Amino acid sequence: MTLTASLKTRIASLSSTASAEKDALLPPPQHIAIIMDGNGRWAKARNLPRLAGHRAGTENLRRVLRACKNHGVKIVTLYAFSTENWRRPAEEVEGLMKLLETYIDRELEALHREGVQIRHLGRLERIPPALQRKIQHAIEYTRNNTELILNVALNYGGRAEIVDAARRMLAEGLRPEDVTEATFSRYLYTTGLPDPDLIIRTSGEYRVSNFLIWQGAYAEYYITEVLWPDFDEKELAKAIEHYRRRERRFGGLKA
Ligand code: IPE
Ligand code: IPE
Ligand code: MG
């Protein structure tokens, strides 16, 4: 083989390895779920009240949702308030609920125009009635949109969700043999939706905090030190890039 010919062969084999590596990338996640944590620390670092952190956190939603859409994501699930967050001081809880109301008032029309379908995951009970009404209106108003499904987990707990599913199955008289994993999935708040591919947690905490404990069984986790109000489109791109390099085996072996 001449030198040029052998070089050509070498280059061809190198570029085929490169394209094989590229082929091995996972497709972008279809469903991303986010534990939006670190608002309090963000505020503390600036000597601001915790609520200022929550306000900055809600203001961050617009750019992250837009970025998700640009990445071709079809479902976004946001952890906004857990069943455990009621343990916080009343002032913070009330402030948070008020912020969520303002968020719906301000953003609903824009979300609707962008084709976002809003859903609620969690128990409506205990949410202040004014906010409940706004949530129900937002769900109704956006129900036929198909660009992006936005699940808002509010007064959400993974354990409460499983308990609620079991109660409904019993109330509807399901027989033991009817209760399969598929039936369970249908009775969860996320009924009809695929499980999250990627769960992001901001602000560096390595725990699940009762979020999507059923649906996340085989999700890929990405944890970043970045605090939620600072988590921008670049950070999202980083998370997706990490995800795409993962190998999902679901208990099997490498393909
Ligand atoms: C997340 O931010 C928002 C909610 C839980 C409502 P935090 O309020 O938990 O912020 P940190 O963890 O105290 O920094
Ligand atoms: C999880 O964050 C809940 C939300 C982001 C809404 P927390 O800040 O409540 O979680 P823990 O208490 O640190 O586990
Ligand atoms: Mg927190």
Side-chain angles (χ1 to χ4, degrees):
M1 213 190 295
T2 66
L3 186 60
T4 17
S6 86
L7 263 177
K8 271 186 187 154
T9 326
R10 175 96 183 102
I11 289 165
S13 95
L14 273 177
S15 68
S16 83
T17 322
S19 77
E21 266 167 24
K22 213 159 125 235
D23 288 343
L25 280 186
L26 292 176
Q30 208 194 347
H31 181 175
I32 295 185
I34 311 179
I35 303 176
M36 311 184 288
D37 198 14
N39 294 348
R41 277 161 278 178
W42 184 92
K44 192 166 181 220
R46 286 162 181 75
N47 272 317
L48 294 169
R50 291 181 57 85
L51 268 178
H54 293 314
R55 191 168 304 116
T58 38
E59 275 157 19
N60 190 33
L61 288 170
R62 194 183 295 178
R63 68 175 170 184
V64 174
L65 286 176
R66 183 158 305 147
C68 283
K69 227 174 129 189
N70 291 340
H71 282 280
V73 174
K74 296 306 289 176
I75 306 166
V76 176
T77 301
L78 300 173
Y79 205 4
F81 193 88
S82 73
T83 46
E84 288 72 41
N85 287 146
W86 297 106
R87 293 180 188 149
R88 296 188 180 197
E91 191 193 319
E92 177 168 348
V93 171
E94 280 159 25
L96 263 166
M97 297 295 156
K98 203 83 212 137
L99 267 174
L100 291 165
E101 266 190 55
T102 318
Y103 178 79
I104 298 179
D105 286 342
R106 214 185 49 206
E107 299 288 329
L108 182 60
E109 203 45 56
L111 289 168
H112 179 57
R113 271 200 309 273
E114 290 185 35
V116 177
Q117 183 189 126
I118 298 171
R119 298 191 187 192
H120 171 240
L121 311 184
R123 291 181 176 165
L124 268 181
E125 57 169 50
R126 205 168 169 186
I127 295 174
L131 179 55
Q132 276 189 38
R133 283 193 294 275
K134 285 185 204 263
I135 294 168
Q136 274 163 327
H137 168 67
I139 294 170
E140 201 49 46
Y141 192 59
T142 63
R143 66 179 312 136
N144 295 319
N145 293 339
T146 53
E147 278 301 301
L148 183 85
I149 292 177
L150 174 61
N151 293 315
V152 182
L154 173 56
N155 192 17
Y156 172 88
R159 289 183 173 183
E161 179 178 36
I162 292 169
V163 168
D164 286 353
R167 283 185 183 161
R168 279 185 42 229
M169 288 189 275
L170 289 170
E172 291 177 19
L174 267 71
R175 294 162 307 169
E177 58 272 31
D178 297 331
V179 183
T180 62
E181 292 188 10
T183 329
F184 239 107
S185 294
R186 265 203 311 282
Y187 278 78
L188 296 175
Y189 306 141
T190 48
T191 181
L193 299 177
D195 289 338
D197 302 296
L198 169 64
I199 298 183
I200 297 172
R201 181 164 192 153
T202 57
S203 88
E205 235 56 86
Y206 283 72
R207 55 175 171 266
V208 176
S209 302
N210 205 9
F211 188 49
L212 301 181
I213 53 182
W214 175 285
Q215 300 89 333
Y218 264 107
E220 297 294 326
Y221 272 86
Y222 176 83
I223 294 166
T224 170
E225 295 295 322
V226 175
L227 305 174
W228 171 249
D230 295 326
F231 187 88
D232 60 9
E233 46 277 81
K234 282 206 191 85
E235 296 299 332
L236 179 79
K238 235 193 267 177
I240 292 178
E241 205 182 297
H242 270 261
Y243 165 83
R244 297 191 65 188
R245 288 201 298 266
R246 304 263 177 97
E247 193 199 333
R248 304 185 79 185
R249 287 187 291 269
F250 300 99
L253 297 177
K254 198 173 165 158

